Amino acid sequence: MSELDDLYQEVILDHGRRPRNFHALPGADRVAEGLNPLCGDHYKVFLRLEGDRIAEVAFEGSGCAISKASASLMTGAVKGKTVGEAERIFTAVHALITEGPDRADPAELGKLAVLSGVSAFPTRVKCASLAWHALKNALHADAQVASTE
Ligand code: ZN
């Protein structure tokens, strides 16, 4: 494994152990749920919008380290962004996780490049993308539960 892979793995382990923005958001005006029955990952994503901007974002629930780390990284990446910017980040992350690093726009990814290793593990793709699908549903005020199935 390369040094970069080691670094990426360390970041993911850290976010899995100490997830950021990991709490309910009482003032949320958007809530969406994400469920990955294959692994048992189950989260709620909360958003509070100010106009077109994501003023606050948080999540709660439980699941494996990858799903929790990805959700934690997601909250850090989209906080303060506009809905349009958050959608572009979603697109870049989705491409990164499902198709690999060559398919994602590095400018949109920034720190999220740490998720690049996930594409090599097909069984973990659903874990890593779960919170992002829930985010997308929340942005669109879609009340449906985002399921990876
Ligand atoms: Zn999982």
PDB file of all heavy atoms in Angstrom, residues 103-142:
ATOM      1  N   ARG A 103     -12.495   9.188 -12.952  1.00  0.00           N
ATOM      2  CA  ARG A 103     -13.778   9.651 -13.456  1.00  0.00           C
ATOM      3  C   ARG A 103     -14.321  10.860 -12.690  1.00  0.00           C
ATOM      4  O   ARG A 103     -15.368  11.378 -13.031  1.00  0.00           O
ATOM      5  CB  ARG A 103     -14.814   8.521 -13.399  1.00  0.00           C
ATOM      6  CG  ARG A 103     -14.387   7.263 -14.100  1.00  0.00           C
ATOM      7  CD  ARG A 103     -14.399   7.416 -15.602  1.00  0.00           C
ATOM      8  NE  ARG A 103     -15.742   7.714 -16.087  1.00  0.00           N
ATOM      9  CZ  ARG A 103     -16.025   8.222 -17.273  1.00  0.00           C
ATOM     10  NH1 ARG A 103     -15.048   8.515 -18.091  1.00  0.00           N
ATOM     11  NH2 ARG A 103     -17.265   8.438 -17.636  1.00  0.00           N
ATOM     12  N   ALA A 104     -13.629  11.262 -11.620  1.00  0.00           N
ATOM     13  CA  ALA A 104     -14.154  12.331 -10.768  1.00  0.00           C
ATOM     14  C   ALA A 104     -13.372  13.621 -10.980  1.00  0.00           C
ATOM     15  O   ALA A 104     -12.181  13.593 -11.288  1.00  0.00           O
ATOM     16  CB  ALA A 104     -14.087  11.906  -9.313  1.00  0.00           C
ATOM     17  N   ASP A 105     -14.051  14.740 -10.810  1.00  0.00           N
ATOM     18  CA  ASP A 105     -13.434  16.050 -10.966  1.00  0.00           C
ATOM     19  C   ASP A 105     -12.688  16.413  -9.678  1.00  0.00           C
ATOM     20  O   ASP A 105     -13.305  16.654  -8.650  1.00  0.00           O
ATOM     21  CB  ASP A 105     -14.537  17.073 -11.258  1.00  0.00           C
ATOM     22  CG  ASP A 105     -13.971  18.475 -11.470  1.00  0.00           C
ATOM     23  OD1 ASP A 105     -12.759  18.667 -11.221  1.00  0.00           O
ATOM     24  OD2 ASP A 105     -14.747  19.347 -11.876  1.00  0.00           O
ATOM     25  N   PRO A 106     -11.336  16.436  -9.709  1.00  0.00           N
ATOM     26  CA  PRO A 106     -10.563  16.693  -8.487  1.00  0.00           C
ATOM     27  C   PRO A 106     -10.869  18.058  -7.871  1.00  0.00           C
ATOM     28  O   PRO A 106     -10.789  18.219  -6.651  1.00  0.00           O
ATOM     29  CB  PRO A 106      -9.103  16.617  -8.939  1.00  0.00           C
ATOM     30  CG  PRO A 106      -9.104  16.473 -10.412  1.00  0.00           C
ATOM     31  CD  PRO A 106     -10.505  16.269 -10.898  1.00  0.00           C
ATOM     32  N   ALA A 107     -11.238  19.034  -8.712  1.00  0.00           N
ATOM     33  CA  ALA A 107     -11.542  20.373  -8.192  1.00  0.00           C
ATOM     34  C   ALA A 107     -12.771  20.346  -7.290  1.00  0.00           C
ATOM     35  O   ALA A 107     -12.850  21.089  -6.313  1.00  0.00           O
ATOM     36  CB  ALA A 107     -11.745  21.344  -9.345  1.00  0.00           C
ATOM     37  N   GLU A 108     -13.739  19.502  -7.609  1.00  0.00           N
ATOM     38  CA  GLU A 108     -14.943  19.407  -6.787  1.00  0.00           C
ATOM     39  C   GLU A 108     -14.698  18.539  -5.552  1.00  0.00           C
ATOM     40  O   GLU A 108     -15.349  18.695  -4.533  1.00  0.00           O
ATOM     41  CB  GLU A 108     -16.111  18.787  -7.587  1.00  0.00           C
ATOM     42  CG  GLU A 108     -16.530  19.568  -8.822  1.00  0.00           C
ATOM     43  CD  GLU A 108     -17.278  20.855  -8.491  1.00  0.00           C
ATOM     44  OE1 GLU A 108     -17.539  21.116  -7.293  1.00  0.00           O
ATOM     45  OE2 GLU A 108     -17.580  21.605  -9.444  1.00  0.00           O
ATOM     46  N   LEU A 109     -13.750  17.617  -5.652  1.00  0.00           N
ATOM     47  CA  LEU A 109     -13.542  16.645  -4.572  1.00  0.00           C
ATOM     48  C   LEU A 109     -12.828  17.226  -3.360  1.00  0.00           C
ATOM     49  O   LEU A 109     -13.243  17.009  -2.227  1.00  0.00           O
ATOM     50  CB  LEU A 109     -12.740  15.455  -5.078  1.00  0.00           C
ATOM     51  CG  LEU A 109     -13.505  14.460  -5.946  1.00  0.00           C
ATOM     52  CD1 LEU A 109     -12.545  13.394  -6.456  1.00  0.00           C
ATOM     53  CD2 LEU A 109     -14.634  13.819  -5.150  1.00  0.00           C
ATOM     54  N   GLY A 110     -11.740  17.958  -3.600  1.00  0.00           N
ATOM     55  CA  GLY A 110     -10.950  18.465  -2.487  1.00  0.00           C
ATOM     56  C   GLY A 110     -10.570  17.333  -1.543  1.00  0.00           C
ATOM     57  O   GLY A 110     -10.086  16.284  -1.969  1.00  0.00           O
ATOM     58  N   LYS A 111     -10.846  17.521  -0.251  1.00  0.00           N
ATOM     59  CA  LYS A 111     -10.494  16.534   0.781  1.00  0.00           C
ATOM     60  C   LYS A 111     -11.190  15.193   0.590  1.00  0.00           C
ATOM     61  O   LYS A 111     -10.765  14.181   1.138  1.00  0.00           O
ATOM     62  CB  LYS A 111     -10.924  17.055   2.155  1.00  0.00           C
ATOM     63  CG  LYS A 111     -10.012  18.076   2.781  1.00  0.00           C
ATOM     64  CD  LYS A 111     -10.434  18.218   4.239  1.00  0.00           C
ATOM     65  CE  LYS A 111     -10.300  19.642   4.722  1.00  0.00           C
ATOM     66  NZ  LYS A 111     -11.047  19.870   5.956  1.00  0.00           N
ATOM     67  N   LEU A 112     -12.293  15.204  -0.152  1.00  0.00           N
ATOM     68  CA  LEU A 112     -13.075  13.978  -0.326  1.00  0.00           C
ATOM     69  C   LEU A 112     -12.334  12.930  -1.143  1.00  0.00           C
ATOM     70  O   LEU A 112     -12.787  11.794  -1.261  1.00  0.00           O
ATOM     71  CB  LEU A 112     -14.421  14.297  -0.978  1.00  0.00           C
ATOM     72  CG  LEU A 112     -15.288  15.228  -0.133  1.00  0.00           C
ATOM     73  CD1 LEU A 112     -16.444  15.763  -0.945  1.00  0.00           C
ATOM     74  CD2 LEU A 112     -15.809  14.492   1.094  1.00  0.00           C
ATOM     75  N   ALA A 113     -11.203  13.308  -1.716  1.00  0.00           N
ATOM     76  CA  ALA A 113     -10.373  12.348  -2.436  1.00  0.00           C
ATOM     77  C   ALA A 113      -9.991  11.169  -1.545  1.00  0.00           C
ATOM     78  O   ALA A 113      -9.643  10.095  -2.044  1.00  0.00           O
ATOM     79  CB  ALA A 113      -9.121  13.027  -2.979  1.00  0.00           C
ATOM     80  N   VAL A 114     -10.080  11.332  -0.221  1.00  0.00           N
ATOM     81  CA  VAL A 114      -9.761  10.221   0.688  1.00  0.00           C
ATOM     82  C   VAL A 114     -10.687   9.031   0.458  1.00  0.00           C
ATOM     83  O   VAL A 114     -10.364   7.908   0.843  1.00  0.00           O
ATOM     84  CB  VAL A 114      -9.828  10.611   2.185  1.00  0.00           C
ATOM     85  CG1 VAL A 114      -8.777  11.662   2.505  1.00  0.00           C
ATOM     86  CG2 VAL A 114     -11.199  11.064   2.587  1.00  0.00           C
ATOM     87  N   LEU A 115     -11.834   9.271  -0.189  1.00  0.00           N
ATOM     88  CA  LEU A 115     -12.772   8.172  -0.446  1.00  0.00           C
ATOM     89  C   LEU A 115     -12.405   7.380  -1.700  1.00  0.00           C
ATOM     90  O   LEU A 115     -13.097   6.431  -2.067  1.00  0.00           O
ATOM     91  CB  LEU A 115     -14.199   8.722  -0.591  1.00  0.00           C
ATOM     92  CG  LEU A 115     -14.807   9.320   0.682  1.00  0.00           C
ATOM     93  CD1 LEU A 115     -16.088  10.076   0.351  1.00  0.00           C
ATOM     94  CD2 LEU A 115     -15.106   8.231   1.705  1.00  0.00           C
ATOM     95  N   SER A 116     -11.305   7.755  -2.349  1.00  0.00           N
ATOM     96  CA  SER A 116     -10.981   7.146  -3.643  1.00  0.00           C
ATOM     97  C   SER A 116     -10.751   5.643  -3.557  1.00  0.00           C
ATOM     98  O   SER A 116     -11.014   4.916  -4.510  1.00  0.00           O
ATOM     99  CB  SER A 116      -9.767   7.827  -4.268  1.00  0.00           C
ATOM    100  OG  SER A 116      -8.631   7.604  -3.457  1.00  0.00           O
ATOM    101  N   GLY A 117     -10.256   5.151  -2.401  1.00  0.00           N
ATOM    102  CA  GLY A 117      -9.969   3.730  -2.271  1.00  0.00           C
ATOM    103  C   GLY A 117     -11.204   2.860  -2.309  1.00  0.00           C
ATOM    104  O   GLY A 117     -11.129   1.661  -2.602  1.00  0.00           O
ATOM    105  N   VAL A 118     -12.364   3.465  -2.039  1.00  0.00           N
ATOM    106  CA  VAL A 118     -13.599   2.690  -1.912  1.00  0.00           C
ATOM    107  C   VAL A 118     -13.986   2.000  -3.218  1.00  0.00           C
ATOM    108  O   VAL A 118     -14.514   0.893  -3.213  1.00  0.00           O
ATOM    109  CB  VAL A 118     -14.757   3.597  -1.428  1.00  0.00           C
ATOM    110  CG1 VAL A 118     -16.071   2.853  -1.445  1.00  0.00           C
ATOM    111  CG2 VAL A 118     -14.461   4.095  -0.023  1.00  0.00           C
ATOM    112  N   SER A 119     -13.680   2.651  -4.351  1.00  0.00           N
ATOM    113  CA  SER A 119     -14.112   2.091  -5.637  1.00  0.00           C
ATOM    114  C   SER A 119     -13.504   0.717  -5.902  1.00  0.00           C
ATOM    115  O   SER A 119     -14.018  -0.060  -6.701  1.00  0.00           O
ATOM    116  CB  SER A 119     -13.783   3.045  -6.785  1.00  0.00           C
ATOM    117  OG  SER A 119     -12.385   3.206  -6.893  1.00  0.00           O
ATOM    118  N   ALA A 120     -12.408   0.413  -5.222  1.00  0.00           N
ATOM    119  CA  ALA A 120     -11.768  -0.893  -5.401  1.00  0.00           C
ATOM    120  C   ALA A 120     -12.476  -1.996  -4.614  1.00  0.00           C
ATOM    121  O   ALA A 120     -12.164  -3.173  -4.770  1.00  0.00           O
ATOM    122  CB  ALA A 120     -10.306  -0.810  -4.975  1.00  0.00           C
ATOM    123  N   PHE A 121     -13.430  -1.609  -3.768  1.00  0.00           N
ATOM    124  CA  PHE A 121     -14.138  -2.585  -2.935  1.00  0.00           C
ATOM    125  C   PHE A 121     -15.642  -2.496  -3.185  1.00  0.00           C
ATOM    126  O   PHE A 121     -16.343  -1.757  -2.488  1.00  0.00           O
ATOM    127  CB  PHE A 121     -13.850  -2.337  -1.451  1.00  0.00           C
ATOM    128  CG  PHE A 121     -12.386  -2.402  -1.118  1.00  0.00           C
ATOM    129  CD1 PHE A 121     -11.619  -1.241  -1.059  1.00  0.00           C
ATOM    130  CD2 PHE A 121     -11.762  -3.615  -0.886  1.00  0.00           C
ATOM    131  CE1 PHE A 121     -10.262  -1.285  -0.780  1.00  0.00           C
ATOM    132  CE2 PHE A 121     -10.410  -3.673  -0.605  1.00  0.00           C
ATOM    133  CZ  PHE A 121      -9.661  -2.509  -0.548  1.00  0.00           C
ATOM    134  N   PRO A 122     -16.138  -3.236  -4.190  1.00  0.00           N
ATOM    135  CA  PRO A 122     -17.544  -3.098  -4.598  1.00  0.00           C
ATOM    136  C   PRO A 122     -18.537  -3.250  -3.450  1.00  0.00           C
ATOM    137  O   PRO A 122     -19.564  -2.567  -3.439  1.00  0.00           O
ATOM    138  CB  PRO A 122     -17.724  -4.238  -5.607  1.00  0.00           C
ATOM    139  CG  PRO A 122     -16.357  -4.498  -6.126  1.00  0.00           C
ATOM    140  CD  PRO A 122     -15.402  -4.212  -5.003  1.00  0.00           C
ATOM    141  N   THR A 123     -18.228  -4.082  -2.462  1.00  0.00           N
ATOM    142  CA  THR A 123     -19.180  -4.276  -1.375  1.00  0.00           C
ATOM    143  C   THR A 123     -19.261  -3.052  -0.470  1.00  0.00           C
ATOM    144  O   THR A 123     -20.209  -2.902   0.293  1.00  0.00           O
ATOM    145  CB  THR A 123     -18.808  -5.490  -0.502  1.00  0.00           C
ATOM    146  OG1 THR A 123     -17.474  -5.307  -0.022  1.00  0.00           O
ATOM    147  CG2 THR A 123     -18.887  -6.782  -1.284  1.00  0.00           C
ATOM    148  N   ARG A 124     -18.253  -2.165  -0.540  1.00  0.00           N
ATOM    149  CA  ARG A 124     -18.237  -0.979   0.319  1.00  0.00           C
ATOM    150  C   ARG A 124     -18.806   0.248  -0.384  1.00  0.00           C
ATOM    151  O   ARG A 124     -19.010   1.289   0.258  1.00  0.00           O
ATOM    152  CB  ARG A 124     -16.811  -0.656   0.786  1.00  0.00           C
ATOM    153  CG  ARG A 124     -16.091  -1.816   1.388  1.00  0.00           C
ATOM    154  CD  ARG A 124     -16.891  -2.487   2.471  1.00  0.00           C
ATOM    155  NE  ARG A 124     -16.575  -1.973   3.790  1.00  0.00           N
ATOM    156  CZ  ARG A 124     -17.261  -2.262   4.887  1.00  0.00           C
ATOM    157  NH1 ARG A 124     -18.329  -3.034   4.801  1.00  0.00           N
ATOM    158  NH2 ARG A 124     -16.922  -1.769   6.034  1.00  0.00           N
ATOM    159  N   VAL A 125     -19.046   0.135  -1.685  1.00  0.00           N
ATOM    160  CA  VAL A 125     -19.525   1.296  -2.448  1.00  0.00           C
ATOM    161  C   VAL A 125     -20.851   1.805  -1.886  1.00  0.00           C
ATOM    162  O   VAL A 125     -21.055   3.005  -1.713  1.00  0.00           O
ATOM    163  CB  VAL A 125     -19.647   0.942  -3.952  1.00  0.00           C
ATOM    164  CG1 VAL A 125     -20.467   1.990  -4.700  1.00  0.00           C
ATOM    165  CG2 VAL A 125     -18.258   0.822  -4.580  1.00  0.00           C
ATOM    166  N   LYS A 126     -21.748   0.856  -1.571  1.00  0.00           N
ATOM    167  CA  LYS A 126     -23.063   1.257  -1.046  1.00  0.00           C
ATOM    168  C   LYS A 126     -22.933   1.909   0.328  1.00  0.00           C
ATOM    169  O   LYS A 126     -23.684   2.827   0.652  1.00  0.00           O
ATOM    170  CB  LYS A 126     -23.997   0.052  -0.982  1.00  0.00           C
ATOM    171  CG  LYS A 126     -24.429  -0.395  -2.364  1.00  0.00           C
ATOM    172  CD  LYS A 126     -25.300  -1.626  -2.340  1.00  0.00           C
ATOM    173  CE  LYS A 126     -25.755  -1.937  -3.757  1.00  0.00           C
ATOM    174  NZ  LYS A 126     -26.666  -3.092  -3.784  1.00  0.00           N
ATOM    175  N   CYS A 127     -21.997   1.425   1.117  1.00  0.00           N
ATOM    176  CA  CYS A 127     -21.755   2.025   2.440  1.00  0.00           C
ATOM    177  C   CYS A 127     -21.316   3.480   2.275  1.00  0.00           C
ATOM    178  O   CYS A 127     -21.814   4.376   2.956  1.00  0.00           O
ATOM    179  CB  CYS A 127     -20.665   1.257   3.183  1.00  0.00           C
ATOM    180  SG  CYS A 127     -21.024  -0.486   3.439  1.00  0.00           S
ATOM    181  N   ALA A 128     -20.365   3.693   1.361  1.00  0.00           N
ATOM    182  CA  ALA A 128     -19.770   5.028   1.205  1.00  0.00           C
ATOM    183  C   ALA A 128     -20.729   6.008   0.540  1.00  0.00           C
ATOM    184  O   ALA A 128     -20.647   7.213   0.779  1.00  0.00           O
ATOM    185  CB  ALA A 128     -18.478   4.926   0.393  1.00  0.00           C
ATOM    186  N   SER A 129     -21.638   5.509  -0.292  1.00  0.00           N
ATOM    187  CA  SER A 129     -22.506   6.440  -1.029  1.00  0.00           C
ATOM    188  C   SER A 129     -23.809   6.735  -0.297  1.00  0.00           C
ATOM    189  O   SER A 129     -24.530   7.665  -0.657  1.00  0.00           O
ATOM    190  CB  SER A 129     -22.804   5.891  -2.430  1.00  0.00           C
ATOM    191  OG  SER A 129     -23.455   4.656  -2.350  1.00  0.00           O
ATOM    192  N   LEU A 130     -24.092   5.974   0.763  1.00  0.00           N
ATOM    193  CA  LEU A 130     -25.403   6.068   1.426  1.00  0.00           C
ATOM    194  C   LEU A 130     -25.760   7.483   1.891  1.00  0.00           C
ATOM    195  O   LEU A 130     -26.814   8.025   1.539  1.00  0.00           O
ATOM    196  CB  LEU A 130     -25.439   5.096   2.613  1.00  0.00           C
ATOM    197  CG  LEU A 130     -26.761   5.045   3.368  1.00  0.00           C
ATOM    198  CD1 LEU A 130     -27.884   4.570   2.458  1.00  0.00           C
ATOM    199  CD2 LEU A 130     -26.643   4.131   4.576  1.00  0.00           C
ATOM    200  N   ALA A 131     -24.885   8.090   2.670  1.00  0.00           N
ATOM    201  CA  ALA A 131     -25.191   9.419   3.218  1.00  0.00           C
ATOM    202  C   ALA A 131     -25.330  10.452   2.101  1.00  0.00           C
ATOM    203  O   ALA A 131     -26.079  11.420   2.227  1.00  0.00           O
ATOM    204  CB  ALA A 131     -24.099   9.851   4.191  1.00  0.00           C
ATOM    205  N   TRP A 132     -24.620  10.225   1.004  1.00  0.00           N
ATOM    206  CA  TRP A 132     -24.678  11.165  -0.128  1.00  0.00           C
ATOM    207  C   TRP A 132     -26.028  11.094  -0.816  1.00  0.00           C
ATOM    208  O   TRP A 132     -26.561  12.104  -1.250  1.00  0.00           O
ATOM    209  CB  TRP A 132     -23.528  10.877  -1.089  1.00  0.00           C
ATOM    210  CG  TRP A 132     -22.209  11.192  -0.454  1.00  0.00           C
ATOM    211  CD1 TRP A 132     -21.438  10.356   0.300  1.00  0.00           C
ATOM    212  CD2 TRP A 132     -21.540  12.447  -0.457  1.00  0.00           C
ATOM    213  NE1 TRP A 132     -20.325  11.013   0.749  1.00  0.00           N
ATOM    214  CE2 TRP A 132     -20.359  12.293   0.294  1.00  0.00           C
ATOM    215  CE3 TRP A 132     -21.823  13.685  -1.042  1.00  0.00           C
ATOM    216  CZ2 TRP A 132     -19.468  13.339   0.492  1.00  0.00           C
ATOM    217  CZ3 TRP A 132     -20.938  14.729  -0.848  1.00  0.00           C
ATOM    218  CH2 TRP A 132     -19.763  14.554  -0.092  1.00  0.00           C
ATOM    219  N   HIS A 133     -26.560   9.861  -0.948  1.00  0.00           N
ATOM    220  CA  HIS A 133     -27.902   9.739  -1.533  1.00  0.00           C
ATOM    221  C   HIS A 133     -28.947  10.381  -0.618  1.00  0.00           C
ATOM    222  O   HIS A 133     -29.883  11.022  -1.096  1.00  0.00           O
ATOM    223  CB  HIS A 133     -28.240   8.266  -1.792  1.00  0.00           C
ATOM    224  CG  HIS A 133     -27.540   7.723  -3.000  1.00  0.00           C
ATOM    225  ND1 HIS A 133     -27.853   8.127  -4.277  1.00  0.00           N
ATOM    226  CD2 HIS A 133     -26.533   6.838  -3.122  1.00  0.00           C
ATOM    227  CE1 HIS A 133     -27.062   7.496  -5.135  1.00  0.00           C
ATOM    228  NE2 HIS A 133     -26.249   6.711  -4.465  1.00  0.00           N
ATOM    229  N   ALA A 134     -28.780  10.206   0.677  1.00  0.00           N
ATOM    230  CA  ALA A 134     -29.710  10.834   1.625  1.00  0.00           C
ATOM    231  C   ALA A 134     -29.611  12.357   1.515  1.00  0.00           C
ATOM    232  O   ALA A 134     -30.624  13.053   1.523  1.00  0.00           O
ATOM    233  CB  ALA A 134     -29.408  10.368   3.049  1.00  0.00           C
ATOM    234  N   LEU A 135     -28.385  12.862   1.382  1.00  0.00           N
ATOM    235  CA  LEU A 135     -28.185  14.307   1.202  1.00  0.00           C
ATOM    236  C   LEU A 135     -28.940  14.791  -0.031  1.00  0.00           C
ATOM    237  O   LEU A 135     -29.637  15.799   0.004  1.00  0.00           O
ATOM    238  CB  LEU A 135     -26.690  14.612   1.034  1.00  0.00           C
ATOM    239  CG  LEU A 135     -26.382  16.035   0.516  1.00  0.00           C
ATOM    240  CD1 LEU A 135     -26.618  17.069   1.614  1.00  0.00           C
ATOM    241  CD2 LEU A 135     -24.955  16.141  -0.009  1.00  0.00           C
ATOM    242  N   LYS A 136     -28.805  14.060  -1.123  1.00  0.00           N
ATOM    243  CA  LYS A 136     -29.442  14.472  -2.379  1.00  0.00           C
ATOM    244  C   LYS A 136     -30.965  14.518  -2.211  1.00  0.00           C
ATOM    245  O   LYS A 136     -31.618  15.460  -2.652  1.00  0.00           O
ATOM    246  CB  LYS A 136     -29.047  13.525  -3.513  1.00  0.00           C
ATOM    247  CG  LYS A 136     -29.331  14.163  -4.844  1.00  0.00           C
ATOM    248  CD  LYS A 136     -28.715  13.423  -5.995  1.00  0.00           C
ATOM    249  CE  LYS A 136     -28.767  14.335  -7.230  1.00  0.00           C
ATOM    250  NZ  LYS A 136     -28.805  13.576  -8.471  1.00  0.00           N
ATOM    251  N   ASN A 137     -31.504  13.499  -1.544  1.00  0.00           N
ATOM    252  CA  ASN A 137     -32.949  13.502  -1.301  1.00  0.00           C
ATOM    253  C   ASN A 137     -33.354  14.683  -0.422  1.00  0.00           C
ATOM    254  O   ASN A 137     -34.391  15.306  -0.656  1.00  0.00           O
ATOM    255  CB  ASN A 137     -33.380  12.194  -0.630  1.00  0.00           C
ATOM    256  CG  ASN A 137     -33.438  11.049  -1.622  1.00  0.00           C
ATOM    257  OD1 ASN A 137     -33.145  11.229  -2.801  1.00  0.00           O
ATOM    258  ND2 ASN A 137     -33.807   9.885  -1.154  1.00  0.00           N
ATOM    259  N   ALA A 138     -32.530  14.974   0.570  1.00  0.00           N
ATOM    260  CA  ALA A 138     -32.845  16.102   1.456  1.00  0.00           C
ATOM    261  C   ALA A 138     -32.810  17.420   0.677  1.00  0.00           C
ATOM    262  O   ALA A 138     -33.657  18.284   0.865  1.00  0.00           O
ATOM    263  CB  ALA A 138     -31.862  16.152   2.628  1.00  0.00           C
ATOM    264  N   LEU A 139     -31.844  17.553  -0.213  1.00  0.00           N
ATOM    265  CA  LEU A 139     -31.743  18.776  -1.021  1.00  0.00           C
ATOM    266  C   LEU A 139     -32.972  18.954  -1.891  1.00  0.00           C
ATOM    267  O   LEU A 139     -33.418  20.059  -2.150  1.00  0.00           O
ATOM    268  CB  LEU A 139     -30.494  18.729  -1.914  1.00  0.00           C
ATOM    269  CG  LEU A 139     -29.149  18.882  -1.211  1.00  0.00           C
ATOM    270  CD1 LEU A 139     -28.011  18.638  -2.194  1.00  0.00           C
ATOM    271  CD2 LEU A 139     -29.013  20.263  -0.595  1.00  0.00           C
ATOM    272  N   HIS A 140     -33.525  17.840  -2.342  1.00  0.00           N
ATOM    273  CA  HIS A 140     -34.699  17.891  -3.214  1.00  0.00           C
ATOM    274  C   HIS A 140     -36.000  17.764  -2.426  1.00  0.00           C
ATOM    275  O   HIS A 140     -37.054  17.604  -3.025  1.00  0.00           O
ATOM    276  CB  HIS A 140     -34.616  16.783  -4.269  1.00  0.00           C
ATOM    277  CG  HIS A 140     -33.544  17.058  -5.278  1.00  0.00           C
ATOM    278  ND1 HIS A 140     -33.739  17.858  -6.365  1.00  0.00           N
ATOM    279  CD2 HIS A 140     -32.244  16.684  -5.321  1.00  0.00           C
ATOM    280  CE1 HIS A 140     -32.603  17.934  -7.051  1.00  0.00           C
ATOM    281  NE2 HIS A 140     -31.685  17.239  -6.434  1.00  0.00           N
ATOM    282  N   ALA A 141     -35.878  17.790  -1.084  1.00  0.00           N
ATOM    283  CA  ALA A 141     -37.046  17.677  -0.214  1.00  0.00           C
ATOM    284  C   ALA A 141     -37.854  16.441  -0.571  1.00  0.00           C
ATOM    285  O   ALA A 141     -39.071  16.442  -0.550  1.00  0.00           O
ATOM    286  CB  ALA A 141     -37.910  18.926  -0.284  1.00  0.00           C
ATOM    287  N   ASP A 142     -37.142  15.377  -0.921  1.00  0.00           N
ATOM    288  CA  ASP A 142     -37.772  14.109  -1.275  1.00  0.00           C
ATOM    289  C   ASP A 142     -37.954  13.306   0.004  1.00  0.00           C
ATOM    290  O   ASP A 142     -36.985  12.974   0.663  1.00  0.00           O
ATOM    291  CB  ASP A 142     -36.853  13.367  -2.263  1.00  0.00           C
ATOM    292  CG  ASP A 142     -37.526  12.149  -2.856  1.00  0.00           C
ATOM    293  OD1 ASP A 142     -38.462  11.614  -2.210  1.00  0.00           O
ATOM    294  OD2 ASP A 142     -37.118  11.737  -3.942  1.00  0.00           O
TER     295      ASP A 142
END
